[in-house]
Amino acid sequence: MTVSPASAFDLDMMRIALRVAARGLGNTAPNPAVGAVIANETTGEVIARGWTQPGGRPHAETEAIRRAGTRARGQTLYVTLEPCAHFGKTPPCADAIVAAGLKRVVVGTRDPDPRTAGEGIAKLRAAGINITENVIEPEARWTTLGHILRVTQKRPFVTVKIATDADGHIAPGDGTAPRWVTGPEARASGHMLRARADAILIGAGTLRADNPDLTCRLPGLTHRSPIRVILAGSSPLDPTAKLVTTAAKIPVLVLRAGAALPSDRDLAATGAEIIALPDQSIATALEALAARGVTRLLVEGGPTVWRSFAGSGLVDEVSLFMAGPPHAEKAAFALQLYASALTLHKTDCRPVGTDTMWCLRRTQP
């Protein structure tokens, strides 16, 4: 078995692969968003790049090979996730790599999917291809975490988005529309989170208070609006709500715990799908979404939903938008108010217009 250590060039190419993988976030479910680069290690030329295409196919590796053509032979492939080894709707990527004549493959992280789980790398090694694994593995795993969690824990990757005023408080809607506490740049950043999610979730209270659309309204990305999910519990919902009446255009899932309500017939008539759950736990709701192919969930909602998700411990990331310049103490107050059950560490803090975006990840136990 031939194993070579990662070089500085390997690191540079894997960083490119990770950047192109991000293009597919929110657009490839139920498949993972993967990035691939074919490069000439001798000359330093990037020959081709590929990423998982909309709907999950073609996969990143085969897309990069297609773009490279015959120039792929004898070169090195950098890929953020282990190439698949199973026949699905397309042949295994591992077979395509062998057929393309690539001499070396550098992998970011292994795929826990039992249909691959090391078999992709084993196929490549059996064909005499040089393999280097775990290159920038933490970032590769983070990019692919929605897929990994769906396979290993039967739940999607969960981001909770919180928006507050400069003091850490929210401004409830008046039943017709949200009340904005941050500026247009911060709201645009929030819409980018929507574009990178497979589904977006609110509770029945937010539906009543804000009557939101929950669409992505960024120019050029309106087609990236995620599935809209209402965590309804046993609450009746208004079938004339904006979100519900557009269910025929952008899917709506209503997670209903307990017996169906008479008003559910009106919801279903709009095109909304009613999903019956055995209980109101967050874990049950997430398992139902994962079963429908959701790998990345954005939770917007309001304080009740935020606290419920935080209390479940099934939150991976918090995006906190606060009005005004950065203020660590007020950000800590907001997190204590809405997500005190989580132990978080800051990964980023950046200005967005006149406001501030804090990015925090859950500290793994």
Side-chain angles (χ1 to χ4, degrees):
M1 178 175 68
T2 303
V3 178
S4 59
S7 66
F9 183 75
D10 291 340
L11 297 178
D12 287 342
M13 294 302 102
M14 186 59 73
R15 291 187 185 103
I16 295 174
L18 286 165
R19 284 198 292 272
V20 297
R23 297 182 181 185
L25 293 175
N27 204 30
T28 65
N31 287 354
V34 178
V37 172
I38 295 174
N40 184 319
E41 293 184 60
T42 302
T43 65
E45 179 189 4
V46 174
I47 296 170
R49 299 174 297 165
W51 54 94
T52 312
Q53 295 299 293
R57 295 176 184 83
H59 292 185
E61 302 95 315
T62 54
E63 183 69 7
I65 290 169
R66 181 189 68 78
R67 296 182 181 197
T70 58
R71 297 190 67 206
R73 185 164 299 278
Q75 306 303 335
T76 299
L77 170 72
Y78 299 86
V79 61
T80 56
L81 182 69
E82 176 184 4
C84 63
H86 63 280
F87 280 87
K89 293 184 179 180
T90 56
C93 287
D95 291 354
I97 291 167
V98 173
L102 288 149
K103 69 174 182 180
R104 180 171 176 243
V105 175
V106 180
V107 178
T109 190
R110 285 207 178 196
D111 187 348
D113 188 324
R115 298 171 299 176
T116 293
E119 290 301 314
I121 288 172
K123 272 193 172 189
L124 299 177
R125 283 186 170 139
I129 295 176
N130 186 310
I131 303 293
T132 300
E133 292 190 64
N134 300 322
V135 175
I136 319 185
E137 198 276 341
E139 291 183 36
R141 178 178 172 80
W142 184 258
T143 299
T144 321
L145 192 53
H147 166 72
I148 293 170
L149 291 172
R150 182 170 177 262
V151 169
T152 61
Q153 298 185 24
K154 296 183 179 180
R155 73 170 180 90
F157 175 92
V158 177
T159 297
V160 171
K161 178 206 163 191
I162 300 172
T164 75
D165 64 20
D167 293 318
H169 298 288
I170 67 165
D174 61 3
T176 61
R179 290 173 57 196
W180 307 118
V181 291
T182 54
E185 294 88 353
R187 296 200 295 276
S189 294
H191 279 259
M192 181 57 73
L193 293 181
R194 293 180 180 183
R196 291 189 165 191
D198 303 330
I200 180 172
L201 180 146
I202 60 170
T206 298
L207 185 70
R208 287 190 294 269
D210 292 353
N211 193 20
D213 290 300
L214 298 186
T215 55
C216 176
R217 295 188 290 279
L218 293 176
L221 290 177
T222 55
H223 65 289
R224 296 282 291 269
S225 291
I227 296 169
R228 282 101 40 97
V229 181
I230 307 168
L231 191 62
S234 57
S235 302
L237 302 179
D238 180 3
T240 67
K242 287 189 292 185
L243 185 155
V244 176
T245 58
T246 57
K249 295 181 179 179
I250 303 170
V252 172
L253 303 180
V254 177
L255 303 184
R256 169 73 71 210
L261 301 180
S263 59
D264 287 351
R265 289 192 296 271
D266 296 328
L267 297 175
T270 68
E273 180 183 355
I274 316 298
I275 301 175
L277 302 180
D279 58 60
Q280 298 194 45
S281 73
I282 297 300
T284 297
L286 292 179
E287 185 171 349
L289 294 176
R292 280 161 174 75
V294 174
T295 67
R296 294 174 60 85
L297 176 68
L298 177 63
V299 177
E300 292 205 1
T304 300
V305 169
W306 299 337
R307 292 182 184 117
S308 294
F309 269 84
S312 75
L314 302 175
V315 172
D316 304 291
E317 180 180 59
V318 173
S319 293
L320 171 62
F321 292 86
M322 293 192 73
H327 195 297
E329 290 183 2
K330 291 181 179 179
F333 168 78
L335 293 169
Q336 180 64 27
L337 195 59
Y338 304 121
S340 61
L342 295 173
T343 302
L344 302 166
H345 65 276
K346 184 184 74 173
T347 59
D348 194 12
C349 175
R350 70 176 82 115
V352 279
T354 58
D355 306 313
T356 304
M357 178 182 180
W358 299 79
C359 299
L360 308 106
R361 295 179 182 175
R362 179 170 65 95
T363 302
Q364 300 297 319

